[in-house]
Amino acid sequence: MKPPLPWRLGLTGGIGSGKSTVAARLQARGAEVVDADALSRQSTAAGGAAIDAIRAAFGDAFIDAEGALNRAAMRERVFSDPSARQRLEAIVHPIVAAGIAQQVARNRARCVVFDVPLLVESPRWRPQLDRVLVVDCSESTQLRRVRARSGWDDDTIRAVIHQQASRARRLAAADLVLFNDADDLDRLHADIDRLSSRFGL
């Protein structure tokens, strides 16, 4: 049975999967894209709503000279101390949730795409969505793309991959899967266009 408009489509995928490319194409097709990562980055930029609480919880070493979150220091901290991630998320997630609610309230599109990197990891998301779309690729493709994009070494990239939900866990949570291993943008766009018609785009 078709849900009331708008459709609420969750979009996720591991680092380097091409999730942002898929989100951009869906937006070009007329979807309203709610980018949880962008809202998170805004909250941790200089003057962002999360900065004072991060400074209080973690100390000045985790705020850079411009007054933004020191991402490199925080990345090292959460890899070595899983509880640090939980403390950071407890600060940032409510701010992001409020930003999402405001954006959804303004929406007039037939489909709202929730671009959420940690959709599978966070149990609060699934009940809010009509469908979950996973952008999938092999780990070797993730390594190659992130090396080219960010210049990270393979150990750092693997550490990020292993912090995220496993490929099998993401696929198990998917209603729809876009396999994006080929670096063929025309083919990916064609696949997205076929899929997007299901959601009135």
Side-chain angles (χ1 to χ4, degrees), residues 4-15:
L5 292 175
W7 283 90
R8 298 167 299 168
L9 177 63
L11 173 65
T12 195
I15 187 171

Side-chain angles (χ1 to χ4, degrees), residues 4-199:
L5 292 175
W7 283 90
R8 298 167 299 168
L9 177 63
L11 173 65
T12 195
I15 187 171
S17 65
K19 179 178 59 63
S20 296
T21 301
V22 174
R25 184 66 172 185
L26 289 168
Q27 187 170 46
R29 297 276 296 181
E32 174 80 11
V33 174
V34 177
D35 187 337
D37 245 5
L39 292 168
S40 176
R41 287 192 299 272
Q42 289 171 18
S43 78
T44 58
I51 291 298
D52 288 346
I54 291 170
R55 190 191 303 274
F58 294 96
D60 289 339
F62 292 88
I63 307 298
D64 67 19
E66 284 72 43
L69 172 67
N70 184 330
R71 295 186 179 280
M74 186 60 74
R75 188 164 54 243
E76 289 182 14
R77 179 66 176 271
V78 300
F79 285 157
S80 62
D81 176 10
S83 70
R85 176 184 292 276
Q86 295 169 357
R87 285 155 50 210
L88 179 64
E89 289 175 349
I91 294 168
V92 174
H93 281 184
I95 296 169
V96 171
I100 288 171
Q102 291 172 7
Q103 188 172 346
V104 170
R106 297 192 300 266
N107 170 67
R108 295 295 180 267
R110 293 175 61 83
C111 178
V112 180
V113 176
F114 294 84
D115 181 352
V116 185
L118 300 180
L119 186 154
V120 175
E121 293 86 335
S122 176
R124 71 189 180 91
W125 279 107
R126 191 59 183 90
Q128 302 179 53
L129 304 169
D130 299 310
R131 299 289 187 275
V132 170
L133 170 61
V134 170
V135 186
D136 182 48
C137 68
S138 65
E139 184 171 315
S140 61
T141 297
Q142 291 180 277
L143 290 167
R144 173 172 51 77
R145 287 176 179 160
V146 179
R147 270 198 310 267
R149 180 185 74 196
S150 302
W152 295 356
D153 61 65
D154 284 1
D155 287 344
T156 299
I157 301 167
R158 285 194 179 95
V160 172
I161 290 171
H162 295 149
Q163 286 281 327
Q164 297 179 334
S166 68
R167 186 179 181 189
R169 186 177 168 197
R170 273 195 302 272
L171 291 173
D175 298 302
L176 303 155
V177 178
L178 276 174
F179 187 59
N180 181 35
D181 218 36
D183 293 338
D184 183 339
L185 189 59
D186 290 339
R187 177 179 166 184
L188 178 62
H189 279 177
D191 289 344
I192 297 165
D193 292 351
R194 280 193 294 272
L195 181 149
S196 66
S197 64
R198 302 187 194 186
F199 301 101

